[in-house]
Amino acid sequence: MKEKKLSIVWFRQDLRLKDNPALSEATKIGDVIPIYILDDKNSGSWKMGSASRVWLHYSLKSLNKSLDDNLLFLSGDPLKLIPELIKLTGANSVYWNRCYEPWRIIRDKKLKENLSNIQIEVKSFNSSLLWEPWSVTKQDGSPYKVFSPFYKKGCLSRENQIRDLYPIAKSISFISKPSYEEIKNLDELSLLPDEVWHRNIIRNWDIGEIGAQNKLKKIVSRKLKDYKKGRDFPSLQTTSGLSPHIHFGELSPNQIWFELKKSNIENKEDLHHYQSELGWREFSYYLLFHWPSLPELPFQKKFENFKWINDDEGLLSWQKGLTGYPIIDAGMRQLWQTGFMHNRVRMIVASFLVKNNLVDWRKGQDWFWDTLFDADLASNSASWQWVAGSGADAAPYFRIFNPLLQSEKFDPDGDYIVKYVPELTSLPKKYRHKPWLASKELLDQSGLILGDDYPYPILDLKFTRERALSALKLLKSH
């Protein structure tokens, strides 16, 4: 008779039961001990930000309910905690799904070596990417640096290599919770900040695997109608809003890919454009895997000596949504109020900070890291470097988003603006984009006092654009 095994299933960025390779495989061979470890030791400067911790709390709460209250919560160093738990329980194997951040790769490799040395079986799986980063290369074996060939030649040519979905375990056999002093309850992880703040912000979301599945069903039922065009308009409900669910693994990209493929979407442009957005996520992880310094150092070395301006006042105005440019302020306030920002607006606010203010892209990256629910080391660093012009396949140095033109084009009636900058509601639509150009009579009629109710612009777009172009052009010539 085959010996029944006891496996630790280590949940990380895979907080779901469906299509969970590690959980599915572990349940086939015996009993499981599901655990989650809050690791603020090995993460160093990249430990989760405040918003991510709020999401994590509620996602873990949802997962624990799905696991019939059998999830063990721990906090500390997995290199210490997992061997101790093995010794205490007699577990003979550890299963996990792979993570791709540099610090996690280093930690997991060391843990695997340590466990192998004491004859503990370790099995890891891909649960969060469509293609493994090391499996996609150019013909000469080197990694891609440009998105289009990476996605079209590297990824889509390997579409048949996307793994199939794992079935949900029909039954999961748990052991009694061990008596281990390091085990905590969820509240003892201290993930939640100010109670009023987090209760307000989570009203916009249905956090957890069930919420993620329901959102995916709605997207599939809409068949991505008008996605390609509508995704650029922040007042429309056209984008999926799935990014936090994907980041925390409440939903896998494989589930999305296959659900959309079988939904018979008539407009293939909408389908292919959405798939390419998943491709951009893959590209970000690909870059981070092959260039682990991406969050700290410019991808293009010529940017290492770029003279950023230390504009703390401008940075603070940007963070608070008080720049005097309504589309910028609406985006930054949406971020603060909801833990999210529309993708088009992310590019606009990032360009404004990095190119108009000439503030180091890493300061913007840090703010997003702390305030976004979907704060993802790969996507965050790759996207900020793209806007700054220092990244792979980056926006050219002369690409500077004009917030006025962007606002008028993608929020023509100012609906998105007034949702988050309500002090401009009474202005005629054309002046919602540029209230400083409204006449005194019009401002009086609207009851708006510039400089009091809403700030004047903190900078001149024309001057700062020319300043950025000069600095970037000089960099380009070297």
Side-chain angles (χ1 to χ4, degrees):
M1 181 180 292
K2 193 173 182 179
E3 180 185 359
K4 192 174 183 181
K5 291 189 175 182
L6 173 60
S7 303
I8 291 174
V9 177
W10 181 15
F11 283 89
R12 295 117 70 85
Q13 292 169 314
D14 53 352
L15 307 182
R16 64 182 186 273
L17 301 190
K18 292 183 178 180
D19 191 36
N20 189 316
L23 178 63
S24 182
E25 291 296 324
T27 57
K28 291 178 182 178
I29 62 171
D31 299 333
V32 301
I33 307 171
I35 68 171
Y36 180 86
I37 302 174
L38 178 65
D39 185 359
D40 285 338
K41 182 179 187 301
N42 293 288
S43 55
S45 60
W46 294 114
K47 67 180 182 180
M48 278 181 287
S50 301
S52 293
R53 288 170 184 263
V54 171
W55 189 286
L56 176 63
H57 175 93
Y58 290 99
S59 190
L60 288 174
K61 184 177 181 179
S62 173
L63 177 63
N64 189 35
K65 184 178 179 181
S66 298
L67 291 169
D68 299 324
D69 198 32
N70 282 288
L71 183 61
L72 305 186
F73 301 107
L74 302 105
S75 177
D77 188 354
L79 294 168
K80 168 182 176 290
L81 296 172
I82 290 180
E84 288 182 354
L85 195 57
I86 288 171
K87 186 176 181 180
L88 184 66
T89 61
N92 42 34
S93 60
V94 181
Y95 284 63
W96 68 63
N97 293 311
R98 288 190 280 277
C99 298
Y100 301 88
E101 294 87 348
W103 69 268
R104 293 183 194 266
I105 291 174
I106 293 170
R107 177 199 63 188
D108 293 353
K109 183 179 180 181
K110 186 174 183 181
L111 178 60
K112 189 172 185 176
E113 290 174 353
N114 292 349
L115 295 179
S116 296
N117 289 337
I118 57 174
Q119 284 72 55
I120 298 298
E121 181 182 43
V122 176
K123 288 195 173 183
S124 62
F125 306 84
N126 173 19
S127 80
S128 60
L129 294 177
L130 296 170
W131 296 275
E132 293 283 24
W134 52 83
S135 70
V136 180
T137 60
K138 294 187 285 188
Q139 288 186 344
D140 63 3
S142 62
Y144 288 97
K145 295 182 180 181
V146 179
F147 172 72
S148 290
F150 160 79
Y151 181 61
K152 294 177 181 178
K153 295 181 180 179
C155 294
L156 292 184
S157 66
R158 294 173 171 83
E159 186 174 354
N160 62 351
Q161 296 178 12
I162 298 176
R163 66 164 178 80
D164 292 329
L165 302 182
Y166 278 76
I168 190 169
K170 293 181 179 178
S171 63
I172 305 175
S173 178
F174 305 101
I175 67 168
S176 299
K177 287 187 178 181
S179 177
Y180 180 37
E181 61 185 8
E182 297 292 343
I183 295 175
K184 305 176 182 293
N185 62 50
L186 179 56
D187 289 336
E188 288 176 325
L189 292 184
S190 301
L191 294 168
L192 298 179
D194 178 76
E195 185 176 356
V196 174
W197 175 82
H198 87 260
R199 285 188 176 176
N200 286 336
I201 201 169
I202 63 167
R203 290 175 184 170
N204 302 281
W205 302 93
D206 185 5
I207 299 174
E209 181 177 12
I210 294 174
Q213 290 288 344
N214 289 338
K215 188 171 287 188
L216 178 59
K217 288 176 183 176
K218 290 181 181 178
I219 294 165
V220 171
S221 68
R222 288 189 66 254
K223 296 188 180 296
L224 294 176
K225 183 175 173 57
D226 298 325
Y227 175 79
K228 183 178 180 181
K229 181 179 179 181
R231 65 181 296 275
D232 279 323
F233 292 81
S235 65
L236 302 180
Q237 300 299 314
T238 310
T239 57
S240 70
L242 286 174
S243 54
H245 299 287
I246 299 171
H247 172 70
F248 285 93
E250 299 167 356
L251 193 67
S252 73
N254 303 63
Q255 289 171 294
I256 301 170
W257 189 273
F258 288 122
E259 282 296 322
L260 291 176
K261 288 277 283 188
K262 72 180 185 182
S263 64
N264 297 317
I265 294 173
E266 295 178 2
N267 190 326
K268 298 307 178 186
E269 282 196 353
D270 286 333
L271 173 61
H272 294 158
H273 202 80
Y274 188 88
Q275 288 176 321
S276 73
E277 291 303 311
L278 291 176
W280 272 104
R281 177 179 181 272
E282 298 282 320
F283 188 49
S284 297
Y285 273 87
Y286 183 84
L287 292 173
L288 183 62
F289 178 81
H290 289 285
W291 290 276
S293 64
L294 191 69
E296 285 95 13
L297 299 175
F299 183 83
Q300 297 184 35
K301 292 186 179 298
K302 63 184 179 182
F303 275 83
E304 289 180 355
N305 297 316
F306 187 79
K307 302 299 182 183
W308 301 105
I309 295 175
N310 187 25
D311 182 7
D312 291 338
E313 187 175 339
L315 175 63
L316 185 61
S317 297
W318 178 83
Q319 291 171 338
K320 290 184 174 182
L322 293 173
T323 67
Y325 288 98
I327 191 68
I328 303 294
D329 297 337
M332 299 308 295
R333 296 185 197 184
Q334 180 190 22
L335 173 60
W336 188 254
Q337 295 171 26
T338 70
F340 186 79
M341 190 191 299
H342 187 275
N343 185 63
R344 164 64 58 174
V345 183
R346 293 189 195 200
M347 293 189 289
I348 301 170
V349 303
S351 177
F352 182 85
L353 181 71
V354 174
K355 292 187 172 175
N356 291 105
N357 281 274
L358 284 185
V359 169
D360 193 325
W361 57 270
R362 283 161 286 215
K363 293 187 177 181
Q365 175 187 244
D366 290 346
W367 184 252
F368 273 25
W369 181 256
D370 194 46
T371 54
L372 275 173
F373 275 148
D374 61 7
D376 184 286
L377 191 60
S379 296
N380 198 33
S381 54
S383 297
W384 274 96
Q385 289 227 42
W386 182 87
V387 172
S390 62
D393 199 14
Y397 77 94
F398 52 81
R399 179 80 180 273
I400 299 176
F401 287 86
N402 183 308
L404 295 183
L405 298 180
Q406 292 285 314
S407 180
E408 291 169 343
K409 182 176 181 179
F410 295 112
D411 189 32
D413 293 333
D415 294 332
Y416 173 76
I417 286 173
V418 297
K419 182 175 181 179
Y420 296 104
V421 191
E423 55 266 44
L424 304 181
T425 303
S426 57
L427 281 176
K429 292 177 180 179
K430 66 177 291 187
Y431 290 109
R432 290 174 177 177
H433 308 282
K434 42 194 175 186
W436 63 92
L437 293 183
S439 66
K440 183 178 184 305
E441 181 182 10
L442 192 56
L443 290 172
D444 290 342
Q445 291 175 0
S446 302
L448 181 69
I449 303 175
L450 285 180
D452 188 356
D453 300 323
Y454 185 71
Y456 286 100
I458 63 171
L459 53 77
D460 178 82
L461 292 178
K462 183 179 180 180
F463 168 77
T464 54
R465 172 183 168 79
E466 291 174 351
R467 179 180 64 179
L469 285 174
S470 296
L472 291 165
K473 189 174 183 179
L474 182 63
L475 183 71
K476 182 177 181 290
S477 65
H478 283 71

